[in-house]
Amino acid sequence: MLELSTEATRLAGVLLLAAVTIESGGWYLTRIARGKVPATDFQRAFARAGHGHAGMFVTLGLITAMLTDATTLDGFAAWVARSGVPIAAIVMPAGFFFSSLGPGRTTPNRLIWLVWIGAVILAAGLVTLGVGLLTA
């Protein structure tokens, strides 16, 4: 039987509940695609990118939550390995969504920097977990 740490169990529960919010975002995305919500081509592309990244990172976050338990990482390193991808699942999509807000927008606003911060957080989590698994 698979036994998870308390941290992994709690994070997995949160991520599964978060998947429901992504599902509701998918419903909104279908409204954009059907022309029920006015959006530029740029806004449609960024809505798809934000939604896709959120779903993929939440799924990957479930995996990293469990794999962290297979390492000898502890303290801050374990937290980065376990939480990096789930945090990126919030920050990076937020960059896509918030940088495309506003009627008629055709280019990202300054909040595009959230995408790049999310990418750094994602990389930190994946590298920490990868090294932790290779050295376990």
Side-chain angles (χ1 to χ4, degrees), residues 119-133:
V120 169
I121 294 168
L122 174 67
L126 292 175
V127 167
T128 302
L129 179 56
V131 170
L133 287 166

Side-chain angles (χ1 to χ4, degrees), residues 47-96:
R48 282 191 306 269
H51 184 71
H53 280 82
M56 188 268 302
F57 288 153
V58 164
T59 303
L60 182 59
L62 285 166
I63 296 166
T64 61
M66 292 185 285
L67 285 177
T68 301
D69 284 356
T71 70
T72 57
L73 296 172
D74 62 353
F76 184 70
W79 182 85
V80 171
R82 183 176 283 114
S83 303
V85 174
I87 291 170
I90 297 167
V91 178
M92 193 178 273
F96 286 113

Side-chain angles (χ1 to χ4, degrees), residues 21-31 51:
T21 67
I22 296 167
E23 181 182 11
S24 65
W27 172 78
Y28 181 73
L29 197 57
T30 64
R31 290 181 42 84
H51 184 71

